Amino acid sequence: MDTVPVTRTRPTQGGLKKLANWGNYPVIEALEESFASATELKGMLAGAHGTTRVIARGNGRCYGDSSLAGMVVSTLRHGRFLSFTESSGELACQSGVMLKEILDTFVPRGWFLSVTPGTKFITVGGAIASDVHGKNHHADGSFSRYVASMQLMLASGEVVLCSRETNCELFEATCGGMGLTGVILSATIRLRRIATAFIRQETAKARNLAEIMELFEKSATWSYSVAWIDCLSQSGQGGRSILFRGEHASPHEAGGASPLRIPPRHTINLPFFLPAAMLNGFTVRAFNAAYYACATKGAATAIVDYDAFFYPLDGILHWNRIYGRNGFVQYQFVLPKASAAKGLAEILRKISSGGQGSFLAVLKLLGKGENLISFPMEGYTMALDFPVTKKLFPLLEELDKMVIEYGGRLYLAKDSRMGAATFNAGYPNAPEFRRLRGRLDPAGIFGSLQSARLGI
Amino acid sequence: MAHLLVVGAKSDLGRELARLFAAEGYSLYLAARNSGELAEECEHLRIRYGVQAVARELDILEYGAHAGFYESLEPKPDGVICAAGYLGDNVKAMEDFREAKRIMDTNYTGPVSILNICAADFRKRASGFIIGISSVAGERGKQSNNIYGSAKAGFSAYLSGLRNSLCKSGVRVITVKPGYMDTRMTRGMKFPPILTAQPEDAARDIVRAWKKGRDVVYTKWIWKFIMVVIIHIPEKIFKKINF
């Protein structure tokens, strides 16, 4: 039977549980509660008042400490569909609904998520709080663009409806606001029509950074684009990459009698943590060389199902354990278009010389940014995984400086370690966000380890 | 289209079972007290699984109303799940018979009343299945929940006899014996995580057993072996154990 990898936590003494998000770093002990109704949640907020900070948490797929606090309220038991309007594709659901549930339900009926990140094991509430983006950001924007409205429980327990029209300020602070404005109870999101569950995928190789950036520019009319980039190789000027671009396939392209159905997927599970020493400069270089060599030269077209195109890593449950028990940091930043070429080259050189590369370096062209403190801005974003070691943090500090110097910023949903100065420099709306927080939550009911670290 | 009646549909296990059977294509009657609270769940089931789902008012303790309740279901269900239950307060139950009676009635008398009615119809139609949620607590009484345990013991024995009686009519009866489960009923109780099932996992175990044609299912499975040990502890020793 189909199993959804719901994030489980191990209870420890005194009602506290060991909690960590996807990066397994940091690990904390916290009180975990779950609510099935707004009334229950209101009681929890009142109960926590003055004792500890509260933060909402979905499936724990942010990487760092965004959804960690003294008291964590899980939305996973608040996961019902509320209504669906066939004519407009508008789905109202509670915040704990997972994207996988939406896909399982609506793809066979000819609907798809307007924006999806690289995993379907996240909740709608989490997608809004992180304002996630996908392979179509350059064309379609981030998740929040398709949120028609949402219901939010404020620190006072009051439930407020907000949208771009009503309580707009609150809406824009909540999209990308990391759960700090309140707990998202439900949302109405707009799905998009699809004719098939398949994607026509084209891959193209690039020998260096300049080539891949040119490929991205040329692929602007494609709905989806993303690139794998070798962050260790210094052949050429460094940055050899493979671009994946895609379009929803037509029924003719998809073939078969029921193009909205995809074959059941066989997942494998990584049942335990691998020793951290498995990943080193040598193994990563070998993997990257093999991966690049295996891609066909020139452009290659294939019809793949949406699972394979959007969620390749969801096929390996608990892939995060590959980085060992100490966990890992996913370092994701964005640089504005104008400075991206120079900045990316410099950052890649820095990483390559450190020798701490990752299998999963991803490059993506983003479109214009929205909302108060959402991550995206027009430019290039790169995401890299690093196993946690002592050497890592000084390297990341140096990378922070470069990112800021080139006018970029780091993604809060991936962050577990940046300093307040880096945040302030990258997010010009930070003061406004702080002011709004102060007004909405004067007693400081909501807060996370991250918000405490960043002073927001 | 096949129909399923879920008695105690507001319980965490009842809800999860209803969802899994909806995924199997069953249309649902969700029965519970204050059934208005089930409207949201019905809507979820309709959107998520494309099945019919309606909420029906049923008080497991109003025995007199049970026949009329079943009469009102049209079409008649092809299967019934009884997930109604009440843990109660054993200390209070030992002092106040009203609490003891409520525990016994919710876990034994009420379920017998409604299932007798379903069983008679299933027997007549020579088809159908009954899934009764009992408990490992019914296997051997212990001081901390002897009232609840005795009611569940009665319910287990009832289901076993019912299976025996309906077997020739082609009606299946499945006895479910959950061990520790993380539900609203047990909120605040501390269980060892390795022995504790999440309701969605327990529901999955039950549906698997239903598909495989099992008669009795423990969830988590490990409880089958734990109970073998517990049942074989000599009474001389068992009576002195503090649990």
Side-chain angles (χ1 to χ4, degrees):
Chain A
M1 222 171 290
D2 210 9
T3 327
V4 178
V6 170
T7 305
R8 290 283 159 70
T9 47
R10 282 162 294 164
T12 51
Q13 276 109 15
L16 294 177
K17 276 182 175 178
K18 276 210 159 105
L19 286 179
N21 290 318
W22 192 240
N24 286 312
Y25 175 84
V27 182
I28 65 156
E29 293 208 337
L31 192 64
E32 193 194 34
E33 299 279 2
S34 68
F35 64 97
S37 69
T39 323
E40 270 180 45
L41 176 63
K42 191 174 175 176
M44 285 169 195
L45 295 186
H49 185 94
T51 58
T52 183
R53 299 273 187 134
V54 183
I55 195 75
R57 184 171 189 253
N59 201 30
R61 288 294 178 114
C62 67
Y63 284 67
D65 54 2
S66 312
S67 65
L68 298 180
M71 181 172 156
V72 166
V73 285
S74 168
T75 61
L76 288 177
R77 292 212 190 274
H78 195 62
R80 287 189 179 126
F81 291 142
L82 300 172
S83 70
F84 181 66
T85 314
E86 190 75 30
S87 56
S88 60
E90 283 194 332
L91 170 70
C93 63
Q94 292 175 335
S95 52
V97 164
M98 263 201 247
L99 300 191
K100 179 189 188 296
E101 288 269 301
I102 298 177
L103 294 165
D104 287 350
T105 308
F106 292 102
V107 168
R109 300 183 207 174
W111 296 97
F112 198 70
L113 294 161
S114 295
V115 165
T116 176
T119 174
K120 56 184 176 177
F121 299 131
I122 67 162
T123 62
V124 168
I128 297 172
S130 295
D131 194 18
V132 296
H133 56 270
K135 296 174 172 60
N136 56 344
H137 190 274
H138 60 284
D140 299 325
S142 55
F143 195 89
S144 63
R145 194 180 285 184
Y146 305 91
V147 177
S149 65
M150 62 183 150
Q151 290 210 301
L152 189 71
M153 182 175 283
L154 303 179
S156 60
E158 185 194 350
V159 178
V160 182
L161 180 83
C162 57
S163 67
R164 299 256 182 225
E165 294 78 37
T166 317
N167 293 315
C168 174
E169 192 187 22
L170 185 58
F171 181 88
E172 294 194 340
T174 302
C175 296
M178 308 313 288
L180 297 169
T181 56
V183 179
I184 300 165
L185 293 174
S186 64
T188 300
I189 62 170
R190 279 188 290 269
L191 304 182
R192 71 167 59 195
R193 269 272 178 218
I194 48 168
T196 76
F198 293 83
I199 301 290
R200 176 165 52 84
Q201 173 185 274
E202 207 178 275
T203 48
K205 273 176 141 174
R207 282 168 302 180
N208 54 46
L209 205 53
E211 273 189 31
I212 189 67
M213 290 174 74
E214 195 188 327
L215 270 175
F216 266 114
E217 296 293 341
K218 280 187 185 160
S219 307
T221 56
W222 285 74
S223 295
Y224 302 105
S225 62
V226 70
W228 167 85
I229 184 165
D230 183 345
C231 56
L232 286 185
S233 158
Q234 284 295 299
S235 62
Q237 299 118 22
R240 62 179 175 187
S241 340
I242 305 168
L243 178 75
F244 299 85
R245 49 194 180 191
E247 286 298 337
H248 289 284
S250 69
H252 174 68
E253 287 168 330
S258 45
L260 287 168
R261 303 254 166 203
I262 65 170
R265 185 182 214 183
H266 297 284
T267 52
I268 53 171
N269 186 12
L270 197 59
F272 47 78
F273 286 97
L274 292 182
M278 291 265 307
L279 286 183
N280 52 51
F282 177 74
T283 55
V284 174
R285 273 197 178 87
F287 173 87
N288 286 357
Y291 192 81
Y292 185 76
C294 285
T296 332
K297 272 204 185 106
T301 307
I303 301 294
V304 296
D305 66 51
Y306 75 82
D307 251 346
F309 185 76
F310 290 105
Y311 314 112
L313 280 174
D314 284 350
I316 309 167
L317 306 180
H318 302 294
W319 63 261
N320 52 342
R321 290 176 180 162
I322 197 172
Y323 292 101
R325 212 169 262 291
N326 292 338
F328 71 106
V329 170
Q330 184 165 93
Y331 190 78
Q332 182 167 3
F333 61 91
V334 57
L335 298 184
K337 234 176 182 176
S339 64
K342 198 158 167 265
L344 285 171
E346 193 179 317
I347 288 173
L348 276 179
R349 261 199 307 279
K350 183 83 215 167
I351 292 166
S352 176
S353 67
Q356 306 190 40
S358 76
F359 290 114
L360 296 157
V362 169
L363 185 68
K364 162 94 198 101
L365 178 61
L366 297 179
K368 285 205 167 54
E370 287 162 286
N371 306 317
L372 203 56
I373 58 163
S374 276
F375 168 69
M377 64 161 80
E378 195 167 16
Y380 282 89
T381 178
M382 188 186 273
L384 309 132
D385 292 347
F386 297 100
V388 170
T389 59
K390 267 189 217 138
K391 281 195 309 191
L392 175 64
F393 295 103
L395 171 70
L396 297 183
E397 297 270 328
E398 289 185 59
L399 298 185
D400 289 353
K401 284 195 197 102
M402 295 178 183
V403 169
I404 295 307
E405 185 189 324
Y406 284 100
R409 59 169 75 131
L410 303 188
Y411 193 4
L412 291 175
K414 309 284 178 84
D415 164 58
S416 54
R417 32 77 42 201
M418 83 164 117
T422 305
F423 172 75
N424 290 336
Y427 289 83
N429 291 329
E432 201 183 326
F433 187 76
R434 286 194 182 95
R435 267 197 300 280
L436 187 71
R437 278 260 293 153
R439 212 171 68 216
L440 287 170
D441 184 8
I445 305 260
F446 296 117
S448 60
L449 262 61
Q450 183 178 53
S451 77
R453 180 162 46 78
L454 302 180
I456 49 174
Chain B
M1 194 185 265
H3 286 71
L4 177 73
L5 166 64
V6 182
V7 175
K10 272 200 241 165
S11 70
D12 289 316
L13 184 55
R15 180 193 64 233
E16 295 301 328
L17 280 166
R19 289 180 180 182
L20 290 187
F21 274 94
E24 298 289 329
Y26 277 83
S27 281
L28 291 154
Y29 298 114
L30 299 188
R33 253 187 324 164
N34 302 324
S35 55
E37 294 168 21
L38 284 164
E40 226 174 46
E41 181 64 17
C42 286
E43 190 61 25
H44 173 74
L45 291 168
R46 284 191 284 265
I47 301 170
R48 174 69 184 85
Y49 304 102
V51 298
Q52 304 294 317
V54 288
R56 291 299 175 91
E57 188 67 27
L58 175 71
D59 186 339
I60 196 81
L61 302 180
E62 290 270 347
Y63 317 125
H66 290 180
F69 164 83
Y70 192 79
E71 200 59 40
S72 77
L73 302 180
E74 206 53 59
K76 293 285 175 257
D78 303 277
V80 57
I81 291 172
C82 183
Y86 174 59
L87 189 59
D89 177 344
N90 205 69
V91 176
K92 189 175 162 200
M94 293 300 285
E95 291 157 3
D96 180 351
F97 184 69
R98 280 171 304 183
E99 175 72 357
K101 187 163 186 314
R102 189 170 162 219
I103 294 171
M104 293 187 279
D105 288 349
T106 313
N107 293 302
Y108 177 69
T109 324
V112 168
S113 163
I114 186 75
L115 289 185
N116 270 351
I117 294 164
C118 300
D121 183 46
F122 288 0
R123 189 196 301 275
K124 207 165 65 199
R125 288 154 53 197
S127 78
F129 64 88
I130 293 168
I131 298 177
I133 311 299
S134 188
S135 170
V136 295
E139 306 238 317
R140 194 162 191 180
K142 55 174 190 171
Q143 60 180 330
S144 58
N145 65 0
N146 65 328
I147 307 294
Y148 177 80
S150 65
K152 287 295 192 185
F155 190 45
S156 290
Y158 166 79
L159 290 168
S160 151
L162 194 64
R163 177 159 48 243
N164 190 200
S165 145
L166 289 172
C167 168
K168 283 186 241 28
S169 310
V171 179
R172 288 181 52 201
V173 178
I174 301 171
T175 310
V176 180
K177 296 182 176 179
Y180 296 144
M181 203 174 356
D182 183 12
T183 64
R184 253 184 320 151
M185 190 171 93
T186 59
R187 182 165 289 171
M189 299 170 75
K190 276 189 201 121
F191 298 138
I194 197 153
L195 302 179
T196 308
Q198 294 300 318
E200 54 270 31
D201 297 336
R204 215 175 282 128
D205 286 348
I206 294 164
V207 171
R208 200 179 293 125
W210 170 74
K211 283 185 174 167
K212 284 188 175 170
R214 300 254 193 276
D215 297 315
V216 179
V217 49
Y218 288 82
T219 176
K220 295 183 158 188
W221 60 270
I222 196 169
W223 282 94
K224 183 172 180 176
F225 300 96
I226 294 172
M227 294 322 291
V228 167
V229 173
I230 288 183
I231 283 168
H232 287 92
I233 299 172
E235 195 61 32
K236 266 191 169 152
I237 299 170
F238 191 83
K239 70 179 180 191
K240 291 176 192 158
I241 301 176
N242 206 5
F243 67 101

